[in-house]
Amino acid sequence: MTHAVVFAAPGEPRVLELQDAPLRAAGPGELTVAIEAAGVNFIDVHRRSGALEDGSAFPRSLGVEGAGRVVDCGPQVRGFSPGDRVAFVDSSTGSYASHAVLPATRAIRLPDDVSSETAAALLFKGLTAEYLTHRCVPLAPDDWVVWHAA
């Protein structure tokens, strides 16, 4: 069983509900993670309000990043074992939940000195910063950057 924050229709924050749902088993190449911390991103507001329509079925979950402990590994998973601490970015099951089942390729192992809270708060934002400053517009020494949402 998993507990998750879901919404049955777009709207204001009051559309969010905590629901219980069966937890499906990890399939080939997937991990089941007991979530200890979830990242909060402005994209969650867009999804909840309906400003970002992804076409997925309702009820929908929220949260694209989280951190916790692996509780199960599906067939064909290499490099992870139950008990491993991981952080992940994956929007398919949502991280505003007690558990997530996600592709192992969307997870990274956490070092002991990085807390679940820190990893969940920074992973997606860090990937976004890397993407924007290294792939979209590679920065060079003496370039100016304006951070307008931090």
Side-chain angles (χ1 to χ4, degrees):
M1 186 67 63
T2 185
H3 315 291
V5 173
V6 300
F7 58 107
E12 296 298 316
R14 68 178 143 264
V15 301
L16 299 175
E17 298 179 42
L18 181 62
Q19 292 185 354
D20 293 338
L23 181 63
R24 71 174 180 83
E30 293 182 320
L31 301 174
T32 301
V33 177
I35 298 173
E36 297 172 347
V40 177
N41 297 282
F42 199 66
I43 196 169
D44 300 325
V45 173
H46 287 305
R47 288 195 73 224
R48 188 245 322 133
S49 70
L52 176 64
E53 177 53 55
D54 64 9
S56 61
F58 287 101
R60 293 181 182 164
S61 58
L62 287 176
V64 297
E65 64 185 329
R69 291 198 182 271
V70 174
V71 294
D72 188 31
C73 298
Q76 302 166 6
V77 169
R78 303 289 179 262
F80 294 103
S81 300
D84 287 347
R85 294 182 60 245
V86 296
F88 63 89
V89 175
D90 180 68
S91 61
S92 64
T93 58
S95 61
Y96 293 14
S98 62
H99 295 79
V101 179
L102 57 123
T105 56
R106 307 292 274 159
I108 60 169
R109 186 182 316 278
L110 286 180
D112 291 338
D113 62 343
V114 176
S115 71
S116 292
E117 292 83 0
T118 297
L122 296 177
L123 186 60
F124 189 60
K125 292 140 201 93
L127 291 172
T128 301
E130 186 278 335
Y131 170 76
L132 292 173
T133 61
H134 288 73
R135 299 175 198 216
C136 286
V137 180
L139 297 179
D142 299 322
D143 283 350
W144 284 77
V145 175
V146 176
W147 296 103
H148 63 86

